[in-house]
Amino acid sequence: MTILKEKLSDFKEKFEQAQKLVDECKVDTLEPYKNHYKSKEILIDLEVKLEKTIEQTENEQDLLVFRAILGYVQKDIGKICSFVEETNQAKIYLNKSLELLEGNKNEPEIIICYVDTLNQLGILWSKLQDNEKSLEYLLKSEKAANSFKKFGKQPLTIFDIFGTSDEIEKGKGKECLEKNLTLTFFYLAQVYGAVSNLEASGLYCHLTLKRQLELEDYEPVEWALNAATLSQFYFAKNMLKQSRHLLAAANYMMGKYSDELEQKEMSEDQRAAAMENFKHRSADVDLCFAKYCIYILTTSIERLMQEKEESHKETDPIQFQINENCEKFNLDLSLYEREVVDDFVLTFEDAKEVFLAAQSYLNKAKEYYSLENEASQHARIVQDYAHIFKHLAFFEDEPGVQSKLHKRRADQLEEVLTQLNPTYYMNICRELMFELGLTYSDMLDIKCDLLKFNEVQPTALSKINTLCHKAINKFKEFENTYRDKKTGEIPDNLDVDELQVVACANFNLGRLYYKIITPDKKMQLENTSSSYKHYKTFIDYCEKHQTIAERMKGEYGVTKNMCELLPLKIKKLMDESKQ
């Protein structure tokens, strides 16, 4: 027994020495892996000593202890090799550890190292882009941990193994195994995401967050951001209750962290850095909440636009699994969940509540993402801001109020467009120009609809023509950003998605020129000719690019008819203008 204690004490000293080198590693630009290589040397030396000890040991319990320690040593060598990008060596050592531990995986001394080794192999194969193999190891890790827990045994940490039975730290082994299992879930979420199995990825993300809460093993800001990000997966699946629950939990956690931050002792620099991170991530959580609100409004409109409500689809197995396993967090979130509904809306009053919530979250996000500091993100927020006015207008019955809402939408977009330099923010400027063209077109449609039921007034005609020209100017500005400065032509080698938007701009231009109202025959001829030219350009894009034609079948059909009718009207106007 004395000899065993001496050996364990010697092994423990070497193991801790190696671990300390990695834990206290400082980045050296000349030798970035210096400490890791030193740690690896100590562990390899320890591996040799352990292998000799195992050859000389006959007692089964002692053998189990030495094998467990050797498994940890080989696993840690593998981790170091993976870190320093010695991939082949990492595979060798991790597999040696796995093979050594496999036969005793359900023993308390073995299970923690066994699960961690499987996790490390899962990570390694994920880095090597073999996600199927990565999943194989990670699922095996999950199964092993859950299987062990059924035996009711208490797992032992490496330091429990080094000590005597009296020195075992009660509960530490269980905590360590549970943390390793949480990491398994975390890695499974990443790898399932990499293979585009988003349902499984979402499930494991949720389980990871839940386990982190239960084990009190999380960093509040990171946890909140992960919860808010995951909410977007759920609302895209129309699982609004789950999505809102995650967002409420994120807000709860940020509020809790804010309170703790005020009481925490730290230097001025540390507090400034912590506050900057808190404000940044709070803005990101606010944006996630705003996206949730926008999704409710957008999808509510789509549902109302359908002729009849679709029948409920059968729930697929993984969807059912998400509903079954993703129980609510053990947090009092009632205050935060009351901020916004968790269902689609039907009336203006209900839509307005969601609109006001979205507006509040976007305003808070804009405080951090200002135009001066974060122009790109600020512009994206303004676009979202414009969208909520558009969505609210859909639920409004009064045309005058609809127009005012669209006017607010246009004002927001115009303001940010005038402040952005196209040289640096061309893509965003294009989006804003196109969105403004659509906004003025929406306002135009409202005015034209009113004209059908009211006596024609000169002021109404003037407003219609003004909106036509505003929309035309924005679509032309958009189109001109693509023109070659020398030739004035739009290159045909653009990405098909960009060509589609240019084609769409021409479709809108054709429609807008046709809507201009004037008694002047020459102006009618000019406008009708311009309408035909842009419709014809749209047709040319569709005929050159089948993808565009397939994506815009409705517009293509309408335009084909217009291109047959307009030449006849142009001829008639030409004849009339000669008289």
Side-chain angles (χ1 to χ4, degrees):
M1 187 64 181
T2 305
I3 296 173
L4 176 62
K5 285 186 70 174
E6 288 176 357
K7 284 184 179 293
L8 288 176
S9 178
D10 181 47
F11 295 154
K12 180 183 178 183
E13 183 182 343
K14 293 292 184 184
F15 186 83
E16 287 180 331
Q17 186 183 349
Q19 197 172 57
K20 189 176 180 182
L21 279 166
V22 172
D23 291 344
E24 297 180 357
C25 179
K26 292 181 180 179
V27 178
D28 186 329
T29 52
L30 296 176
E31 297 180 90
Y33 301 141
K34 183 178 178 180
N35 274 29
H36 289 85
Y37 285 128
K38 284 183 179 178
S39 177
K40 181 183 170 185
E41 286 176 13
I42 294 169
L43 290 171
I44 288 174
D45 180 59
L46 184 53
E47 179 192 26
V48 172
K49 289 180 178 178
L50 279 161
E51 286 173 341
K52 287 181 179 177
T53 302
I54 288 171
E55 287 175 7
Q56 298 165 1
T57 303
E58 295 181 0
N59 182 282
E60 285 299 322
Q61 184 56 40
D62 292 351
L63 272 172
L64 182 65
V65 168
F66 293 137
R67 285 198 184 103
I69 297 170
L70 179 57
Y72 273 101
V73 169
Q74 291 171 337
K75 182 258 297 179
D76 284 0
I77 296 172
K79 283 177 70 173
I80 291 172
C81 290
S82 180
F83 183 81
V84 302
E85 299 179 7
E86 294 175 355
T87 305
N88 288 333
Q89 285 292 299
K91 280 192 278 187
I92 289 169
Y93 276 101
L94 290 172
N95 281 315
K96 280 168 71 174
S97 175
L98 190 65
E99 186 179 343
L100 177 71
L101 303 173
E102 187 74 48
N104 300 105
K105 62 186 178 185
N106 288 320
E107 295 297 334
E109 295 87 349
I110 302 294
I111 185 60
I112 292 174
C113 185
Y114 182 73
V115 168
D116 192 15
T117 302
L118 287 167
N119 282 349
Q120 295 306 319
L121 281 162
I123 297 167
L124 182 64
W125 283 106
S126 176
K127 286 181 182 177
L128 295 172
Q129 305 297 311
D130 191 338
N131 290 311
E132 293 303 323
K133 198 150 191 168
S134 176
L135 282 174
E136 181 185 326
Y137 283 113
L138 293 172
L139 289 170
K140 189 174 181 180
S141 175
E142 178 188 10
K143 183 179 179 182
N146 287 329
S147 177
F148 176 83
K149 289 195 286 183
K150 291 176 182 177
F151 292 110
K153 300 177 184 177
Q154 291 299 312
L156 301 175
T157 69
I158 180 66
F159 296 105
D160 289 335
I161 297 168
F162 281 131
T164 64
S165 57
D166 296 332
E167 295 171 327
I168 291 174
E169 194 172 353
K170 191 176 180 181
K172 195 69 177 177
K174 182 181 178 182
E175 179 187 332
C176 188
L177 179 60
E178 293 294 352
K179 285 183 177 181
N180 272 333
L181 183 55
T182 302
L183 286 173
T184 306
F185 286 171
F186 174 78
Y187 300 138
L188 278 167
Q190 311 311 307
V191 180
Y192 272 125
V195 298
S196 299
N197 188 337
L198 301 183
E199 286 78 8
S201 180
L203 168 65
Y204 280 105
C205 278
H206 191 112
L207 291 173
T208 300
L209 292 169
K210 192 168 186 296
R211 289 178 61 82
Q212 286 174 334
L213 270 183
E214 290 168 352
L215 296 169
E216 297 184 353
D217 181 29
Y218 60 89
E219 194 283 314
V221 174
E222 181 184 358
W223 191 94
L225 188 61
N226 288 336
T229 303
L230 179 59
S231 73
Q232 296 179 83
F233 163 75
Y234 280 111
F235 70 61
K237 295 287 182 183
N238 289 341
M239 298 168 71
L240 300 184
K241 289 186 187 296
Q242 291 88 337
S243 182
R244 187 183 68 170
H245 187 71
L246 284 158
L247 288 164
N251 269 350
Y252 170 93
M253 197 62 72
M254 294 302 280
K256 181 183 175 184
Y257 177 73
S258 178
D259 294 340
E260 291 173 355
L261 199 58
E262 288 182 8
Q263 300 171 11
K264 197 172 182 180
E265 292 186 9
M266 58 180 78
S267 68
E268 287 187 17
D269 288 345
Q270 288 174 326
R271 187 171 298 280
M275 281 303 299
E276 167 62 20
N277 184 52
F278 171 72
K279 289 177 181 178
H280 184 182
R281 295 314 175 189
S282 290
D284 290 338
V285 171
D286 289 331
L287 285 177
C288 289
F289 232 128
K291 293 291 185 186
Y292 167 82
C293 295
I294 292 168
Y295 180 81
I296 289 178
L297 292 173
T298 305
T299 309
S300 295
I301 291 169
E302 289 172 357
R303 288 158 68 96
L304 288 168
M305 291 284 283
Q306 291 172 355
E307 289 185 6
K308 55 184 178 179
E309 202 167 316
E310 292 181 359
S311 59
H312 294 291
K313 295 178 181 178
E314 289 185 18
T315 308
D316 60 52
I318 190 68
Q319 184 81 12
F320 178 75
Q321 193 179 12
I322 290 173
N323 283 310
E324 284 287 293
N325 285 291
C326 292
E327 306 96 344
K328 290 187 173 184
F329 302 125
N330 188 24
L331 300 169
D332 182 7
L333 303 177
S334 54
L335 178 67
Y336 301 94
E337 289 184 331
R338 284 199 296 268
E339 291 183 14
V340 68
V341 297
D342 60 354
D343 203 355
F344 297 113
V345 295
L346 297 170
T347 66
F348 177 81
E349 288 72 23
D350 292 340
K352 188 176 179 181
E353 284 189 23
V354 179
F355 165 86
L356 291 172
Q359 187 179 47
S360 173
Y361 292 124
L362 290 171
N363 282 335
K364 285 190 286 184
K366 274 201 297 185
E367 290 177 14
Y368 180 82
Y369 289 113
S370 66
L371 191 63
E372 295 74 24
N373 300 325
E374 294 280 352
S376 296
Q377 186 62 278
H378 181 85
R380 301 288 183 210
I381 293 171
V382 170
Q383 286 175 289
D384 284 339
Y385 210 99
H387 289 154
I388 63 174
F389 279 99
K390 175 186 177 182
H391 297 330
L392 187 61
F394 173 88
F395 291 93
E396 174 57 60
D397 293 328
E398 173 56 44
V401 179
Q402 285 181 0
S403 288
K404 287 178 181 177
L405 290 169
H406 286 302
K407 179 68 167 57
R408 289 287 303 276
R409 173 186 167 198
D411 290 344
Q412 290 281 331
L413 297 169
E414 288 279 18
E415 182 182 358
V416 74
L417 181 59
T418 58
Q419 297 179 70
L420 288 177
N421 186 333
T423 304
Y424 303 109
Y425 303 104
M426 178 56 79
N427 288 337
I428 296 173
C429 287
R430 282 172 175 161
E431 290 175 14
L432 293 169
M433 291 169 189
F434 196 91
E435 182 71 21
L436 276 163
L438 294 176
T439 304
Y440 291 128
S441 294
D442 287 341
M443 294 170 72
L444 170 66
D445 290 341
I446 294 169
K447 297 295 182 187
C448 288
D449 286 342
L450 283 173
L451 204 62
K452 296 175 185 176
F453 305 103
N454 296 295
E455 186 178 336
V456 178
Q457 298 290 332
T459 53
L461 294 179
S462 175
K463 286 180 180 178
I464 285 173
N465 287 341
T466 297
L467 288 168
C468 274
H469 287 297
K470 280 187 173 183
I472 286 169
N473 289 338
K474 288 305 171 187
F475 283 122
K476 280 192 168 182
E477 281 179 33
F478 166 81
E479 188 183 36
N480 288 337
T481 63
Y482 285 98
R483 294 191 184 280
D484 186 280
K485 290 182 180 179
K486 291 182 180 178
T487 66
E489 299 295 321
I490 295 175
D492 200 40
N493 61 350
L494 296 175
D495 179 87
V496 69
D497 292 329
E498 287 187 290
L499 287 173
Q500 181 182 338
V501 185
V502 174
C504 189
N506 276 277
F507 172 81
N508 281 284
L509 285 165
R511 176 176 170 272
L512 289 161
Y513 272 111
Y514 194 72
K515 283 182 174 286
I516 298 173
I517 302 170
T518 176
D520 188 318
K521 295 294 181 183
K522 287 187 178 180
M523 288 302 298
Q524 286 181 30
L525 175 59
E526 187 178 323
N527 292 331
T528 306
S529 297
S530 293
S531 176
Y532 176 71
K533 182 188 80 170
H534 288 291
Y535 275 138
K536 184 68 170 63
T537 302
F538 174 77
I539 291 292
D540 291 342
Y541 275 116
C542 289
E543 290 179 350
K544 284 182 182 177
H545 306 278
Q546 191 61 34
T547 304
I548 297 175
E550 289 173 358
R551 291 176 181 175
M552 304 186 72
K553 285 180 181 177
E555 293 86 347
Y556 184 59
V558 169
T559 307
K560 287 285 279 186
N561 290 334
M562 291 300 291
C563 283
E564 290 174 5
L565 295 171
L566 287 177
L568 299 175
K569 184 164 185 177
I570 290 169
K571 185 178 184 305
K572 182 182 176 184
L573 287 168
M574 288 177 71
D575 293 341
E576 290 175 354
S577 63
K578 290 175 184 177
Q579 294 175 3

